Amino acid sequence: MIIVMKPNAPQSSIDFIVKTITEKGLQTHISKGEEVTIIGVVGDKSRLSQQNLEIAPDVEKIVPVTETYKLANKKFHPEPSIIKAGNTEIGPNNLTIMAGPCAVESEAQLMKIAYAVKAAGANILRGGAYKPRTSPYAFQGLEEEGLRYMLNAKAETGLTTICEVTSLDAINAAVKYVDMIQIGARNMQNFYLLKEAGKSGLPVLLKRGFAATIDEWLNAAEYIIAEGNPNVVLCERGIRTFETATRNTLDLSAVPVMKEKTHLPIIVDPSHATGVRAYVAPLAKAAVAAGADGLMIEVHDNPAKALSDGPQSLTFEQFDTLTKELRPYAQLSGRIF
Amino acid sequence: MIIVMKPNAPQSSIDFIVKTITEKGLQTHISKGEEVTIIGVVGDKSRLSQQNLEIAPDVEKIVPVTETYKLANKKFHPEPSIIKAGNTEIGPNNLTIMAGPCAVESEAQLMKIAYAVKAAGANILRGGAYKPRTSPYAFQGLEEEGLRYMLNAKAETGLTTICEVTSLDAINAAVKYVDMIQIGARNMQNFYLLKEAGKSGLPVLLKRGFAATIDEWLNAAEYIIAEGNPNVVLCERGIRTFETATRNTLDLSAVPVMKEKTHLPIIVDPSHATGVRAYVAPLAKAAVAAGADGLMIEVHDNPAKALSDGPQSLTFEQFDTLTKELRPYAQLSGRIF
Amino acid sequence: MIIVMKPNAPQSSIDFIVKTITEKGLQTHISKGEEVTIIGVVGDKSRLSQQNLEIAPDVEKIVPVTETYKLANKKFHPEPSIIKAGNTEIGPNNLTIMAGPCAVESEAQLMKIAYAVKAAGANILRGGAYKPRTSPYAFQGLEEEGLRYMLNAKAETGLTTICEVTSLDAINAAVKYVDMIQIGARNMQNFYLLKEAGKSGLPVLLKRGFAATIDEWLNAAEYIIAEGNPNVVLCERGIRTFETATRNTLDLSAVPVMKEKTHLPIIVDPSHATGVRAYVAPLAKAAVAAGADGLMIEVHDNPAKALSDGPQSLTFEQFDTLTKELRPYAQLSGRIF
Amino acid sequence: MIIVMKPNAPQSSIDFIVKTITEKGLQTHISKGEEVTIIGVVGDKSRLSQQNLEIAPDVEKIVPVTETYKLANKKFHPEPSIIKAGNTEIGPNNLTIMAGPCAVESEAQLMKIAYAVKAAGANILRGGAYKPRTSPYAFQGLEEEGLRYMLNAKAETGLTTICEVTSLDAINAAVKYVDMIQIGARNMQNFYLLKEAGKSGLPVLLKRGFAATIDEWLNAAEYIIAEGNPNVVLCERGIRTFETATRNTLDLSAVPVMKEKTHLPIIVDPSHATGVRAYVAPLAKAAVAAGADGLMIEVHDNPAKALSDGPQSLTFEQFDTLTKELRPYAQLSGRIF
C-alpha cells in the first residue's frame, strides 16, 4: 500500500499517518519528493481496515499494490488448475465445449439437442432451468422439472451437465441433478449466492458481470473458493459498452489477462456476448486462438421457435460445422478436442 | 413492433412474416420503400414471444415501439405515485432525506448517528446490516443484530428506517424490524430477490445497477410491482463508465428521464456515486435542482474509523451544513423539507 | 512515481532499476514488503521518459503520483482564473450564459436569435459556422459567411460571440470576426488544432471529448496554455456510456472534480449532452447548483426547422422561462446573473 | 424511417406529420395499434432533413431504418474491396502485416527495424512522424524528417510504408514520401482532416475512435470516399470501457460486424488496444481467427528505450516468433501470408 500526500503536506500530517500505521504493527518508508511525499506501507494491511487513511489530513490518495484475492491469485498458485466436472476436465490440456439450449423447454427437445451436440463433439450439456429475464413477463424457466430433464439427458448421453442457479432453492435442487452450476452475469456480485455456491461442493462456472472489472470478477471467485470450493471456472460473456452493433462487447483480452492473474480456467461465451448467430463462429475461433480453455455455445433444434435467445442460437448443422472448424484451432493451441 | 426487412427481400420472405404474424391474430401494415420494406405489427405482441422473427429469412432487425414494463409506466399511470414508508411520504411534495452510516457497527454508534441526522432534518435512517462487499475478507455486516439496533433507533427517534437486503433470509428478518427495504445496485437484476421483495409487502428502494439502462431498471421495478407491491422508489447511484476521478458516474439525467417514463419517485445517492466526501454536497444540491424526490447520504460519527465507506461519509457537522444549504433548493423545487 | 516490483523479484532486478534511476540523477526509496517491493522515485521524472521501466525485468507496474499537466493545475495556481472574452468575464463571480443556434443559418435568423437571447439575459452568443457532422451529407455550416453574421450580430447587440473552429483556416477566419473560439468534443485531442488555438490568442472554450477522462481533458487544456494562451474555459457536454435514453451522459461530477484539480472555469452544455429539449432546463439548474461557472444552451427561433440539432433547441419562450428560473440558483451559488 | 407517435396522439398530430411528409414528395404508411400509431416513411429522406419531426406534436421517437453511409455500405457494393498500397494488396486474399516502431526516432533505428520486420514477413512498414500525445511535454515526432527516413527505408527494403497524419501540412508532406496515410483514433471525427485525406489520393488507414460506434466509424470512412478516394482500410484498435487491465478494450466483434456492413477491409491493432506486450500475440492470433484482413503491430529494436509506447512493442525476436505462429492461422482463414 502506498499513501500519496498532498503537496506541501505539513510534517504533522505525515507524522500522524506514520503513527497510525506503526501503532498497528506495520512499517512505513517515506520518500520525500519536491512536489509530493509518498509513504510506503509494509505489513499486514488488514490491520488498517478500519483506519480510512484516505480522509486523514493531507492525504491525496492511497494506491493498493497487492490484490485482495489470494486463493484465486496466480502469485500464490502458479500452476494452472484443472477443474473436474462430471467426467470432464476443464483446463490447459483440453478445449471444453459446453453447448445446448438457452432454456430447457421440454424433455424431448433437450434430448434431441443433447444427442446432436454430443455428436458434434460437445463435452458438456448446458440448459437453463432458472432463467433470469429482463422482463417479468418473459418465460422464466421450467425450474426443477428442467433439472430433471437434464439428469435424464446425462443418463442417456453420458454428457456432463451444467445449469444456471439463481437462488439457494435452485442450488439445493441443482445438487441433486447436475454436475456443475453456473452463476450468471447478473448475479456475479450476488455475494449471498456466491457463498452458497461455494458451500454446494459443485464446480462453479462464474460468468463475468456486464460491468465487472477483472479484479471484481476474481474477488467474486474468491468468495466461492473461500467457502472451501476451489472448483471455479471463469466465463467471459461480454461487457457493457456504448457499442450497440452487438448485444455486449466480447472482451477477449480478458483471456490473456486472466492467464496472467489467476490459475483458474477461463472459457468464452460468444453467443450471449454478441446476441447474433452470424458472429458466434468467428468469435469462437478467436477465443480459442486467444487461449481460452473452452467455449459455451447456444444450440437449438429450431432457433426460430426457441423460448429464449433464439436469434443467437446455432442450428445443429451450424454447430456441427463450427466444431469441425474449431478442431485445427484447438490443435494449434495444443489442446485435445 | 416494426420489422425491417433486408434490401431486396423477396416477396416470399415478406409473405412468411405476414403469415406468421396474422396466424397469431395480429395485424400487419407494410411500407415498401426503395431500399427496404418495413412491416408494422399491431396487436398483442406477447403472442409472438416464441416466434423469433429476428432470424426469419431476410429480416434485418426488429424495432420494439412499446415498453415491456406496464405497471411502472407513466403512460398507464400518469399521476406521480406517493410512496409511504413508516411515517414518511416519498413523492412530488417532499424532499426526503435518508441518512445514516454505510454499515451499522454498534447500537451506541447507530443511536448517536440517528439523533444527529434527525436533528439536521433527515426523515429516514439508513444503516446497512447485510453488506455486499467486493472482497470476502471485508466486513460483511452485523445481520439481524444490526436490524435490531435499527428498530431501537426508530423507537428512540421516531425516524423511519431502511435497510438493504441481500437474500430471502434478510428480507424475512427485515420485515420484523424496519419500515423499508433496499435492493442494492449489485442485486438490481437478482430477479429472485426482486420477487421476494415484492412479496414482502414492504416499500422497496430499488437502486440502479452499475450497468443498467433506464429500461432495465424499470423492468426490475416491474418485477416487484408485478408481485402486488406498488411501493417502489428508484435510486440513482452512479453508473460505470471509463472515468476514474469518481467511483462511478452519477447520471443526473436519469432524474428528468424517469419523470417522463414512470410515476415512481426517484431519489439520488451522491455518496456511493462519487465515493468522495467533497463531492457529496454539490451533487446533492444538483440532484434536488434536477427534480429528485429525495437524497440518500452517508453520515458517520467518525468517518476516519468507519468499517465501510468512511471516505465518502459526512461528519455530523458537514451533514448539518448540507441540510441547511439544501433548504432553499427544496423550496425552489416546491418541496417541503 | 512509484515502481511496484513483481513478488519475489530478485535483488538483481531491483538493483537494475535503482541503477537506471540514479544514473539519471534521481533518488530512490525502497520499501520491501513480504509480497512486494516498491520503489519510490524522487526527482525530475522527465529524465526517465526514455527508460520504459514498465518492461524492465520483474516490474509489475508503475504508478504515477504527479499530474502531467502543470499550467492547468490548481496545485501551482490555487486561485480560480477569470477568463475575459469580449466584454464578458467567465469565472467564480458570474454565471455566464452562452446561447444561440447550433448552426448559423442566415443573417436574419441569427440577428433574431441574438436579440432574443440577449433580452433573456445571455452574455455570449453562440452559433456554429463550421459544423462537425457525423454524416458527410448533413449540413456542414456557412463557414466564413457565418462568422461575418456573428460579427454583425455582435455589432448590433453588443453580445460577446463564440464560434467553433475545426481547422487552421477556421481559426484564421475566426480571429477576424469573433471574441472566443470553441474546440468541439470530437477535436479535443486534435493536438494540432489545440496548438493553433493556443497561438491564436483568443480565449478558448474546450469541450470535453466523448471518451476523455478528466486527466486527458486537462492535458488538452495544457496544450493550449503551453502555447502562451492561458485563457481556457472547460465545457462538460456529456460522455459516452451504455445508456441510450439521452444522447450522452452528462457528467455533472466533473464540475466539483474540476474545481479541485484546476483553476480554469468550467461551464456545462446540457443541450448537446442530452439531445432532448425537455431535459435541458432541469440539468441547467443542476449544473448551476453543482457549481458550474456558466451554461451553453441551444436556442432557435423555430426549432422544428433548424438545420442542425433542432430537437434539443429551446424556443425563445422556453429560454426566457429558463433564465428566469435560473436566477435564484445563481444567487444561491453567489454568482451575478 | 419510422415515426412512432405518443399513445393517444390525436388525429390532428398524425395528420400534421403526414402532411409535412407528403408535401416533400414522400409517402407514408400508417399502422394504428392499440397503444401507439406508427408511420412508415417511404422516399428520399434527405428532403426531410430540415423538418425535425422529432419535436412535432405527439411524436415519441423516430427510428431510422437505412444507414446514412452509402459508398462504404456493403448493400450497394457487395463484393469485398481490395485496397492497393505501394506493392501491397489489402483484402480478403491476404493477411497484411503492418509493423514498425510507434515513433520514428532516427534513420538508423528505422532502417534496422525495417529490415527486421521484412525478414519476419511484414508487408508494410509503419512508423509515426507526427505523434499525437496526451501530454504536450511528451515527444511529438520528427515530422517531415521522419517521413524522409520512411522513404529511404522503402527504397532500401522495398516495403510499402504508412505514416499517421494529423494536419493538412502532414498530409502534404506524406504525399511526397509514403504509400499510405493513417488517420488516428483521436482524429477519427476530425472531419476536416478526413476530407483532406480523401483529396490526397493516397490510400487511408482509418483507425476507430476510442468512443466511436461502428456506425460513426463507417460514416467517417464515407467522408473520405465521398471526396473521390475509395481506398479506405479500417483498423480496430480498442474502445474505451470501464476495464483498466488493458489500455483499451479490443472489440474483435467489430471484425465480423464490419464484414456484414461494409466492403472495406478491416485490420486489427492489438498493440495500442492492450498497451501490454504480453497480450499482443494471443490477440493477434484471435484477430486473424475472427477474420481480420491484417494486423498492425509495434516492433522496436530496443523497447526499453523507445521514445513512445515501448511497453507494448515487440522485440525483433518476439515479432519473428509471432509471424511464424500466425502462418497456420492465416492458412486456416484462406489467406496468403
Side-chain angles (χ1 to χ4, degrees):
Chain A
M1 189 167 94
I2 299 156
I3 297 165
V4 181
M5 303 300 291
K6 287 194 176 143
N8 311 317
Q11 188 60 38
S12 59
S13 296
I14 297 169
D15 290 347
F16 172 80
I17 298 291
V18 171
K19 183 162 164 285
T20 306
I21 291 168
T22 51
E23 274 178 7
K24 296 284 169 185
L26 294 87
Q27 289 175 300
T28 57
H29 290 85
I30 298 180
S31 306
K32 277 207 179 191
E34 264 170 68
E35 281 181 34
V36 294
T37 294
I38 58 178
I39 304 173
V41 182
V42 173
D44 177 5
K45 269 37 141 242
S46 68
R47 296 192 202 158
L48 295 174
S49 65
Q50 299 173 42
Q51 305 308 318
N52 296 327
L53 294 170
E54 291 94 331
I55 50 172
D58 298 301
V59 169
E60 173 141 333
K61 62 176 168 181
I62 294 196
V63 182
V65 297
T66 50
E67 292 88 3
T68 51
Y69 53 92
K70 304 295 173 197
L71 303 168
N73 200 323
K74 199 177 175 183
K75 283 179 189 159
F76 312 113
H77 186 313
E79 287 309 304
S81 287
I82 294 172
I83 307 300
K84 285 180 191 149
N87 50 18
T88 313
E89 286 193 351
I90 307 168
N93 306 318
N94 307 294
L95 184 71
T96 302
I97 310 283
M98 307 183 179
C102 185
V104 176
E105 296 170 17
S106 74
E107 186 158 14
Q109 170 237 29
L110 184 66
M111 218 57 90
K112 204 168 156 188
I113 297 174
Y115 276 114
V117 301
K118 189 185 180 188
N123 321 95
I124 299 184
L125 177 67
R126 65 147 287 151
Y130 301 85
K131 299 301 309 167
R133 302 299 296 274
T134 301
S135 163
Y137 309 121
F139 176 61
Q140 308 270 321
L142 296 181
E143 307 199 345
E144 190 156 351
E145 192 189 340
L147 291 179
R148 258 193 302 271
Y149 300 160
M150 290 293 281
L151 184 65
N152 296 349
K154 176 190 168 75
E156 290 252 355
T157 62
L159 284 167
T160 298
T161 52
I162 184 171
C163 192
E164 179 168 357
V165 291
T166 56
S167 66
L168 178 55
D169 288 351
I171 291 177
N172 288 338
V175 169
K176 295 184 277 174
Y177 300 106
V178 294
D179 299 312
M180 187 171 189
I181 54 176
Q182 172 187 319
I183 304 282
R186 292 172 184 79
N187 281 312
M188 195 206 83
Q189 289 196 316
N190 178 346
F191 301 118
Y192 172 82
L193 193 67
L194 295 174
K195 287 178 191 171
E196 295 298 336
K199 290 176 199 158
S200 77
L202 286 181
V204 181
L205 183 74
L206 179 65
K207 288 201 154 186
R208 181 182 189 177
F210 300 144
T213 62
I214 299 272
D215 189 76
E216 288 169 340
W217 190 8
L218 286 170
N219 271 293
E222 189 85 1
Y223 263 93
I224 299 168
I225 307 175
E227 296 293 330
N229 182 351
N231 300 309
V232 178
V233 176
L234 303 166
C235 179
E236 162 64 31
R237 45 80 66 228
I239 56 174
R240 191 152 267 181
T241 72
F242 60 83
E243 179 57 63
T244 56
T246 44
R247 183 198 282 164
N248 294 119
T249 296
L250 184 66
D251 179 13
L252 278 186
S253 309
V255 175
V257 170
M258 280 300 187
K259 293 289 170 201
E260 268 205 354
K261 293 193 180 290
T262 184
H263 52 90
L264 302 172
I266 176 166
I267 73 163
V268 172
D269 175 350
S271 305
H272 282 90
T274 62
V276 178
R277 196 157 68 178
Y279 306 151
V280 170
L283 292 171
K285 294 176 204 167
V288 177
D293 298 301
L295 293 165
M296 175 172 259
I297 311 257
E298 291 199 345
V299 179
H300 197 278
D301 56 317
N302 185 0
K305 301 284 176 188
L307 288 176
S308 177
D309 281 342
Q312 76 201 25
S313 296
L314 300 189
T315 61
F316 293 168
E317 202 186 335
Q318 289 166 333
F319 181 64
D320 193 60
T321 302
L322 173 58
T323 54
K324 282 197 180 64
E325 289 179 359
L326 282 172
R327 285 184 198 282
Y329 289 93
Q331 225 169 348
L332 282 174
S333 52
R335 293 174 187 277
I336 298 168
F337 169 56
Chain B
M1 190 167 92
I2 298 155
I3 297 165
V4 181
M5 302 301 291
K6 286 192 176 143
N8 311 317
Q11 188 60 39
S12 59
S13 296
I14 296 169
D15 291 347
F16 172 79
I17 298 291
V18 171
K19 185 163 163 284
T20 306
I21 291 168
T22 51
E23 274 178 7
K24 296 284 169 185
L26 294 87
Q27 291 174 299
T28 57
H29 290 86
I30 297 180
S31 306
K32 275 208 179 190
E34 265 171 67
E35 281 181 34
V36 294
T37 294
I38 58 178
I39 304 173
V41 182
V42 173
D44 177 5
K45 271 35 143 242
S46 68
R47 297 193 201 157
L48 294 174
S49 65
Q50 299 173 43
Q51 304 308 319
N52 296 326
L53 294 171
E54 291 93 331
I55 52 172
D58 298 301
V59 169
E60 174 141 330
K61 62 177 169 181
I62 295 196
V63 182
V65 297
T66 49
E67 292 89 2
T68 52
Y69 54 92
K70 304 295 173 199
L71 303 168
N73 200 323
K74 199 177 175 183
K75 283 179 189 159
F76 311 114
H77 187 313
E79 288 307 303
S81 287
I82 294 173
I83 308 299
K84 285 180 192 151
N87 50 18
T88 313
E89 287 194 350
I90 308 168
N93 306 320
N94 307 293
L95 184 71
T96 303
I97 309 284
M98 307 184 180
C102 185
V104 176
E105 297 170 16
S106 73
E107 186 159 13
Q109 170 238 25
L110 185 66
M111 219 57 89
K112 204 169 155 188
I113 298 175
Y115 277 114
V117 300
K118 188 184 179 188
N123 321 94
I124 299 184
L125 177 68
R126 64 148 287 151
Y130 300 85
K131 298 301 309 167
R133 302 299 295 274
T134 301
S135 163
Y137 309 122
F139 176 60
Q140 308 271 320
L142 296 181
E143 307 199 344
E144 191 157 350
E145 193 189 339
L147 292 178
R148 257 193 303 269
Y149 301 161
M150 289 293 281
L151 185 63
N152 296 348
K154 177 190 168 75
E156 290 253 354
T157 62
L159 284 168
T160 297
T161 52
I162 184 171
C163 192
E164 178 167 357
V165 291
T166 56
S167 66
L168 178 54
D169 289 352
I171 291 177
N172 289 337
V175 169
K176 295 184 277 175
Y177 301 107
V178 293
D179 299 312
M180 188 172 188
I181 54 177
Q182 173 185 319
I183 304 282
R186 292 171 184 80
N187 280 312
M188 194 206 84
Q189 289 196 317
N190 177 348
F191 301 117
Y192 172 82
L193 194 67
L194 294 174
K195 288 177 191 170
E196 295 297 336
K199 290 176 199 157
S200 76
L202 286 181
V204 180
L205 183 73
L206 179 65
K207 287 200 154 187
R208 181 180 187 176
F210 300 144
T213 61
I214 298 272
D215 189 75
E216 289 169 340
W217 190 8
L218 286 170
N219 271 291
E222 189 84 0
Y223 264 95
I224 298 168
I225 307 175
E227 296 293 331
N229 182 350
N231 300 309
V232 178
V233 176
L234 304 166
C235 180
E236 161 65 30
R237 46 79 66 228
I239 57 174
R240 190 152 268 181
T241 72
F242 60 83
E243 179 56 64
T244 57
T246 44
R247 184 198 281 164
N248 294 118
T249 296
L250 184 66
D251 179 14
L252 277 187
S253 308
V255 175
V257 171
M258 281 300 187
K259 294 287 169 202
E260 268 206 353
K261 293 192 181 291
T262 185
H263 52 91
L264 302 172
I266 176 165
I267 72 162
V268 171
D269 175 351
S271 305
H272 282 90
T274 62
V276 178
R277 196 159 66 178
Y279 306 151
V280 170
L283 292 170
K285 293 176 204 167
V288 177
D293 298 300
L295 295 165
M296 177 171 258
I297 310 258
E298 292 199 345
V299 179
H300 197 278
D301 56 316
N302 185 0
K305 301 286 177 186
L307 287 175
S308 177
D309 281 341
Q312 77 202 26
S313 297
L314 300 189
T315 62
F316 293 168
E317 201 188 335
Q318 288 167 333
F319 181 65
D320 192 60
T321 302
L322 174 57
T323 53
K324 281 198 180 65
E325 289 179 358
L326 283 173
R327 285 184 198 281
Y329 289 94
Q331 224 169 349
L332 282 175
S333 51
R335 293 173 186 278
I336 297 167
F337 169 56
Chain C
M1 191 167 92
I2 299 155
I3 297 165
V4 181
M5 303 298 292
K6 286 194 176 141
N8 310 317
Q11 189 59 40
S12 60
S13 296
I14 296 169
D15 291 347
F16 172 80
I17 298 291
V18 171
K19 186 164 162 286
T20 306
I21 290 168
T22 50
E23 274 178 7
K24 296 284 169 185
L26 294 87
Q27 290 175 299
T28 57
H29 290 86
I30 298 180
S31 307
K32 276 208 179 190
E34 265 169 67
E35 281 181 33
V36 295
T37 293
I38 60 178
I39 304 173
V41 182
V42 172
D44 178 6
K45 270 35 143 243
S46 68
R47 298 192 200 157
L48 294 175
S49 64
Q50 299 173 43
Q51 304 307 319
N52 296 327
L53 294 171
E54 290 94 331
I55 52 172
D58 298 302
V59 169
E60 174 142 330
K61 62 176 169 182
I62 294 195
V63 182
V65 296
T66 50
E67 292 89 2
T68 51
Y69 53 93
K70 304 295 173 199
L71 302 168
N73 200 324
K74 199 178 175 183
K75 283 180 189 159
F76 311 113
H77 186 314
E79 288 306 305
S81 287
I82 293 173
I83 308 299
K84 286 180 191 149
N87 50 17
T88 313
E89 287 195 350
I90 307 168
N93 306 319
N94 307 294
L95 184 71
T96 302
I97 309 283
M98 307 185 178
C102 185
V104 176
E105 297 170 17
S106 74
E107 186 158 14
Q109 170 237 26
L110 186 65
M111 217 58 88
K112 205 168 154 188
I113 297 175
Y115 276 113
V117 300
K118 189 185 178 188
N123 321 93
I124 299 184
L125 177 67
R126 65 147 287 150
Y130 301 85
K131 298 303 308 168
R133 303 298 296 273
T134 301
S135 163
Y137 310 122
F139 175 61
Q140 309 270 320
L142 296 180
E143 307 199 345
E144 191 157 351
E145 193 189 340
L147 291 178
R148 257 193 302 270
Y149 300 160
M150 290 293 280
L151 185 63
N152 296 348
K154 176 191 169 75
E156 290 253 356
T157 61
L159 284 169
T160 298
T161 53
I162 184 171
C163 193
E164 179 168 356
V165 292
T166 56
S167 67
L168 178 53
D169 290 351
I171 291 177
N172 289 337
V175 168
K176 295 185 276 174
Y177 302 106
V178 293
D179 299 311
M180 188 173 188
I181 54 177
Q182 172 185 319
I183 304 282
R186 292 171 184 81
N187 281 312
M188 194 207 83
Q189 289 197 316
N190 178 347
F191 300 118
Y192 172 82
L193 194 68
L194 295 175
K195 287 178 191 170
E196 296 298 336
K199 289 176 199 157
S200 76
L202 286 181
V204 181
L205 183 73
L206 178 65
K207 288 201 155 186
R208 182 181 188 176
F210 300 144
T213 61
I214 298 273
D215 189 76
E216 289 169 340
W217 190 9
L218 286 170
N219 271 291
E222 189 85 1
Y223 264 94
I224 298 168
I225 307 176
E227 296 294 331
N229 182 350
N231 300 309
V232 178
V233 176
L234 304 166
C235 180
E236 161 65 30
R237 45 80 66 229
I239 57 173
R240 191 152 268 181
T241 72
F242 60 83
E243 179 57 63
T244 57
T246 45
R247 184 199 280 163
N248 294 118
T249 296
L250 184 67
D251 179 14
L252 278 187
S253 309
V255 175
V257 171
M258 281 300 187
K259 294 288 168 202
E260 267 205 354
K261 292 193 181 291
T262 185
H263 52 91
L264 301 172
I266 176 166
I267 72 163
V268 171
D269 175 350
S271 305
H272 282 90
T274 61
V276 178
R277 196 158 67 178
Y279 306 151
V280 170
L283 292 170
K285 294 176 205 168
V288 176
D293 299 300
L295 294 165
M296 176 171 259
I297 311 257
E298 292 199 345
V299 178
H300 197 279
D301 56 317
N302 185 0
K305 300 286 176 186
L307 288 175
S308 178
D309 281 342
Q312 77 202 24
S313 297
L314 300 190
T315 61
F316 292 168
E317 201 187 336
Q318 288 166 333
F319 181 64
D320 193 61
T321 302
L322 173 58
T323 53
K324 281 196 180 65
E325 289 179 358
L326 283 173
R327 286 184 198 281
Y329 289 94
Q331 224 168 349
L332 281 176
S333 52
R335 294 173 186 278
I336 298 167
F337 169 57
Chain D
M1 190 166 93
I2 298 155
I3 297 165
V4 181
M5 303 300 290
K6 285 194 177 141
N8 310 316
Q11 188 59 38
S12 60
S13 296
I14 296 169
D15 291 346
F16 172 79
I17 298 290
V18 171
K19 183 163 165 286
T20 306
I21 291 168
T22 51
E23 274 177 7
K24 296 285 168 184
L26 293 88
Q27 291 175 298
T28 57
H29 291 85
I30 298 180
S31 307
K32 277 207 179 190
E34 264 170 69
E35 281 181 34
V36 293
T37 293
I38 59 178
I39 304 172
V41 182
V42 172
D44 178 5
K45 273 28 143 251
S46 68
R47 297 193 200 157
L48 294 175
S49 64
Q50 299 173 42
Q51 304 308 318
N52 296 327
L53 294 171
E54 291 94 332
I55 51 172
D58 298 302
V59 169
E60 174 141 332
K61 62 176 169 182
I62 294 195
V63 182
V65 298
T66 50
E67 292 88 3
T68 51
Y69 53 93
K70 303 295 173 198
L71 303 167
N73 200 324
K74 199 178 175 182
K75 283 179 189 160
F76 312 113
H77 187 313
E79 286 309 303
S81 287
I82 294 173
I83 307 300
K84 285 180 192 150
N87 51 18
T88 312
E89 287 193 351
I90 307 168
N93 306 319
N94 307 294
L95 184 70
T96 303
I97 310 282
M98 308 184 178
C102 185
V104 177
E105 296 170 16
S106 74
E107 184 157 15
Q109 170 238 28
L110 185 65
M111 218 55 90
K112 204 168 155 188
I113 298 175
Y115 277 114
V117 300
K118 189 187 179 185
N123 321 94
I124 298 184
L125 177 66
R126 64 147 288 151
Y130 301 85
K131 298 302 308 168
R133 302 298 296 273
T134 301
S135 164
Y137 309 121
F139 175 61
Q140 308 271 319
L142 297 180
E143 307 199 343
E144 190 156 350
E145 192 188 341
L147 291 179
R148 258 194 301 272
Y149 300 161
M150 290 294 281
L151 184 64
N152 297 348
K154 176 190 168 76
E156 290 253 355
T157 62
L159 284 168
T160 297
T161 52
I162 184 171
C163 194
E164 178 168 357
V165 292
T166 55
S167 66
L168 178 54
D169 288 351
I171 290 177
N172 289 338
V175 169
K176 295 185 277 175
Y177 301 107
V178 294
D179 299 312
M180 188 172 189
I181 55 176
Q182 172 186 319
I183 304 282
R186 291 172 185 80
N187 281 311
M188 194 205 84
Q189 289 196 317
N190 178 346
F191 301 118
Y192 172 82
L193 194 67
L194 294 174
K195 287 178 190 171
E196 294 298 335
K199 290 175 198 158
S200 76
L202 286 181
V204 180
L205 183 74
L206 179 64
K207 288 200 154 187
R208 181 180 188 177
F210 299 145
T213 61
I214 299 273
D215 189 77
E216 289 169 339
W217 191 8
L218 286 170
N219 271 292
E222 188 86 1
Y223 263 94
I224 299 168
I225 307 175
E227 296 293 331
N229 182 351
N231 301 309
V232 178
V233 176
L234 304 166
C235 179
E236 162 64 31
R237 45 80 67 228
I239 56 173
R240 191 151 268 181
T241 71
F242 60 82
E243 179 56 64
T244 56
T246 45
R247 183 198 282 164
N248 294 119
T249 296
L250 185 66
D251 179 13
L252 278 186
S253 309
V255 175
V257 171
M258 281 300 188
K259 294 289 169 201
E260 267 204 354
K261 293 194 180 290
T262 185
H263 52 91
L264 302 172
I266 176 165
I267 72 163
V268 172
D269 175 352
S271 305
H272 282 89
T274 62
V276 178
R277 196 158 67 178
Y279 306 150
V280 171
L283 292 171
K285 294 176 205 168
V288 177
D293 299 300
L295 294 165
M296 175 171 261
I297 311 257
E298 291 200 344
V299 179
H300 197 280
D301 56 316
N302 185 0
K305 301 285 176 187
L307 288 176
S308 177
D309 281 342
Q312 77 202 26
S313 298
L314 300 189
T315 62
F316 293 167
E317 201 187 336
Q318 289 166 333
F319 181 64
D320 192 60
T321 303
L322 173 58
T323 54
K324 281 196 180 65
E325 289 179 358
L326 283 173
R327 286 184 197 282
Y329 288 94
Q331 225 167 350
L332 282 174
S333 52
R335 294 173 185 278
I336 298 167
F337 170 57

